[in-house]
Amino acid sequence: MTLKGVISLPQICDRACQTCLDKLCTHKIPLFSALPFEALTEIATQIEHTEYPAGSVIIPLGTVSSSVTIISGGQAKACRYSADGREQILYIFSEGDFFGEQHLLSASETPYQVEALTDTRICQLSRQALNQLIIRHPELALQLIQDLTLRLGRLEQAIQTMGGRSIDARISTTLLDFAERYGRVRSDGIHVTLPLSREGLASYIGIARETISRKLGQLENDGIIESRGHRGLRIIRIDTLRTLAE
Amino acid sequence: MTLKGVISLPQICDRACQTCLDKLCTHKIPLFSALPFEALTEIATQIEHTEYPAGSVIIPLGTVSSSVTIISGGQAKACRYSADGREQILYIFSEGDFFGEQHLLSASETPYQVEALTDTRICQLSRQALNQLIIRHPELALQLIQDLTLRLGRLEQAIQTMGGRSIDARISTTLLDFAERYGRVRSDGIHVTLPLSREGLASYIGIARETISRKLGQLENDGIIESRGHRGLRIIRIDTLRTLAE
DNA sequence: GAAAAGATGTGATTGATGTCACATCTCTTC
DNA sequence: GAAGAGATGTGACATCAATCACATCTTTTC
C-alpha cells in the first residue's frame, strides 16, 4: 500500500498513522483518485461500511436502492437468474470496483443480485451525497464517466466474444482476463487464483460445467495451462492462449 | 455525397424562429435536453455536421478520434470483425443516439466500425468542447452518466440473453426490442420496419443466417409474426413473443 | 488426519445449430 | 414492367455442446 505526501487526519487521530489510513477506504478507490485530500476525508464521513462473509448475498435481487456501492475488500459476483433458474454471472467485482451507478439519478431496482465470493467489505454512499460531491467536484463526474466507459468497453468485448461461435475463444479470453486481473508472473508462467469454481466459470461464460472441465482438460493436455487444485491455475503458454482468443 | 460544413445560428436566419430551431440538431438530442436554451445555441456553433449515404462507412475501424458523435438523422450500425471475418453488430444507433464517449478523456482508437444503414446525418463535438461544456454545465455530466448507465443496462441484458442457451429467446428478445424502437401499433398488430437484413440480424444475434430464416419461418407458421417483404414485419401475438423471451 | 461434503472429471447419448449447395423470392434499375 | 442482382428459404448432413449418470478427486470440518 503506497502512501506518499499524505498530511494529517484530525478526525481519526492526530497523525497519519498506518492504521488510520487503512480505515479510509476512500484512499483505495480509483473512482475518487482525482479528488483532493480534503474531499477524501470529507467523503469518508458519509460512507457506510458493511462486511459480508463469503457466500452471503450482499444485494438481493430486486432491492430498491439509492446508493452507490464500492467494494473495499474481497470479491463479489453480480448475477441474474433466468426463468429456469440458470445463473448468468455479469461481473466479478474486486477491490476498488463499484456498482449501483444506475441509482445516481433516481432510486431504482438493482438489475442484478450481488453475492460475496470471499469475505467482502463494502462502502455505500448515498445518491444525495454523491450528487453533491459531483457538483462540488466536477472532476469526479469525469472519472465516473471514464469508469463507466471502461465497463462498456469490456461488455462490448464480451458480447463480441459471446456472439462468436467458438467456445474455445470464449474460454481463452476469460482466462487471459483473469490472468491480467489476478495473475502473478513467475519464472514458470503466470500463476492465477481463479475467483470462480468450474460451476461459476460455466455461468460466467454461459456454457455447461462439464464443457468447461473438458476444455480445460484439453488445454492442459496441450501443455498450455496447468490446473493446480480447484482454484489454482498456471498459464504456461500465454501466447498460444492469445492466439486461441483471436 | 459527403458535405461538411459548420452551421452557426446566424447563418440560418437572424432570430430564433421555430423553423431554424428545428434545424438545430442540439434540440433533438436527449443528451442535451437538460441544458438551458442559450447553451444549446452555443453548442450548435461548435458542432460539425456531416452526411453519409446508406451503406457507407462513417467511422472506419481503428480511427483515432477525439470527438463524440451524435446521430441526428438516419440509422447506423456499430460492428466489429473477428479474425475470420465474421461480423458482430454491437449497436444499432438511431436519431439521438451518440457514441465515442471513450474519447472524452483522451483521444483514442474507436473500438468498432460505424456504418450507415440508411442515409445518415451526424454531429461531431470535439473532446475539448464537450469537456468545457461539462465544466460549465455539470447537469450535462449527469445526463451523460445516465445515458451511459442505460446503455450498460442494455448490454447487461444482451449478455444474459446471449449467455442463455436458447436461440429462440435471443430472437424473441431482439424482435421485441425492435418493435419497441421502430414499431407502430395498428389494429392488426405491431408493424415494424427492421433496420437489418436477415444477414444483419444474424450478425446482431450471433447466429447463422439460415438459422434466422428457419426460426422466423417457424414463428410465422405458429401465427406469431407475419413477414412482409424483406424488411417488413407484423407482430401478431406479442404476448406469446414475450413468453418466448422469458 | 479421517470422514463427510462438495466439486470436478468422464463416458455415452441426444439434439440443435452450423455449413454447404442450390432453389426461389424481392427489390432495384433502366 | 422486365431483367438482373441480391437476398432469402430449404434440404441434407456433419459437428459440437448439453444432458444424464456416476466415478473420482479436493477441500472442509471436527
Side-chain angles (χ1 to χ4, degrees), chain A residues 80-84 86 88-91 101-106 111-112 131 134-135 138 141-146 148-149 151-160 162-165 170 204-209 246, chain B residues 80-84 86 88-91 101-106 111-112 131 134-135 138 141-146 148-149 151-160 162-165 170 204-209 246:
Chain A
R80 293 181 172 198
Y81 297 90
S82 57
D84 60 341
R86 279 176 32 74
Q88 172 68 47
I89 296 178
L90 289 165
Y91 300 107
E101 70 285 345
Q102 51 277 121
H103 309 135
L104 212 113
L105 286 119
S106 65
Y112 37 71
N131 270 323
I134 286 176
I135 287 165
L142 288 176
Q143 183 68 44
L144 186 56
I145 289 167
Q146 187 173 40
L148 291 178
T149 297
R151 213 149 97 201
L152 265 178
R154 267 189 245 123
L155 285 190
E156 286 161 1
Q157 175 63 50
I159 283 188
Q160 182 183 22
M162 299 187 95
R165 317 252 201 313
R170 283 202 224 181
Y204 189 48
I205 296 179
I207 59 178
R209 177 187 62 78
E246 277 158 298
Chain B
R80 293 181 172 199
Y81 297 90
S82 57
D84 59 342
R86 279 176 32 73
Q88 172 68 47
I89 295 177
L90 290 165
Y91 299 108
E101 69 287 347
Q102 52 278 120
H103 308 136
L104 212 111
L105 287 118
S106 64
Y112 37 70
N131 271 322
I134 286 176
I135 288 165
L142 288 176
Q143 183 68 45
L144 186 56
I145 288 167
Q146 187 173 41
L148 291 177
T149 297
R151 213 149 97 200
L152 265 177
R154 266 188 247 124
L155 285 190
E156 285 161 2
Q157 175 63 51
I159 283 188
Q160 182 183 22
M162 298 187 96
R165 316 257 200 312
R170 283 202 224 180
Y204 188 47
I205 297 177
I207 58 177
R209 177 186 61 80
E246 276 158 298

Side-chain angles (χ1 to χ4, degrees), chain A residues 24-244:
Chain A
L24 272 184
C25 57
T26 49
H27 287 265
K28 301 191 292 191
I29 297 168
L31 180 59
F32 297 140
S33 62
L35 296 182
F37 178 81
E38 309 83 62
L40 293 183
T41 53
E42 177 200 333
I43 296 171
T45 64
Q46 301 178 316
I47 282 181
E48 195 173 309
H49 300 260
T50 325
E51 299 200 358
Y52 294 86
S56 62
V57 174
I58 298 176
I59 312 277
L61 196 63
T63 305
V64 173
S65 167
S66 60
S67 300
V68 172
T69 304
I70 301 153
I71 307 283
S72 66
Q75 292 179 330
K77 67 176 176 182
C79 52
R80 293 181 172 198
Y81 297 90
S82 57
D84 60 341
R86 279 176 32 74
E87 178 190 73
Q88 172 68 47
I89 296 178
L90 289 165
Y91 300 107
I92 309 288
F93 294 127
S94 299
E95 184 174 314
D97 291 333
F98 67 90
F99 59 87
E101 70 285 345
Q102 51 277 121
H103 309 135
L104 212 113
L105 286 119
S106 65
S108 52
E109 211 169 294
T110 59
Y112 37 71
Q113 175 153 306
V114 181
E115 301 175 23
L117 291 170
T118 65
D119 290 348
T120 302
R121 267 171 299 133
I122 64 166
C123 306
Q124 287 185 306
L125 195 55
S126 76
R127 180 164 74 90
Q128 290 83 356
L130 194 49
N131 270 323
Q132 280 177 18
L133 275 169
I134 286 176
I135 287 165
R136 258 183 296 168
H137 305 281
E139 63 271 29
L140 177 59
L142 288 176
Q143 183 68 44
L144 186 56
I145 289 167
Q146 187 173 40
D147 285 356
L148 291 178
T149 297
L150 277 175
R151 213 149 97 201
L152 265 178
R154 267 189 245 123
L155 285 190
E156 286 161 1
Q157 175 63 50
I159 283 188
Q160 182 183 22
T161 314
M162 299 187 95
R165 317 252 201 313
S166 159
I167 296 264
D168 298 272
R170 283 202 224 181
I171 293 175
S172 305
T173 304
T174 306
L175 292 184
L176 287 171
D177 186 38
F178 285 155
E180 195 172 309
R181 287 163 71 186
Y182 311 116
R184 296 189 137 205
V185 180
R186 295 203 191 153
S187 58
D188 63 342
I190 301 174
H191 290 243
V192 187
T193 301
L194 297 172
L196 297 170
S197 65
R198 299 298 139 108
E199 183 98 45
L201 280 177
S203 303
Y204 189 48
I205 296 179
I207 59 178
R209 177 187 62 78
E210 294 92 327
T211 306
I212 275 278
S213 281
R214 281 189 254 264
K215 294 291 186 182
L216 290 184
Q218 203 174 306
L219 286 175
E220 191 156 10
N221 276 340
D222 295 350
I224 296 166
I225 62 171
E226 184 203 15
S227 192
R228 321 187 97 232
H230 283 174
R231 296 294 177 95
L233 190 73
R234 178 166 66 98
I235 296 180
I236 303 167
R237 296 206 269 129
I238 192 164
D239 42 307
T240 313
L241 215 52
R242 287 216 184 89
T243 310
L244 288 172

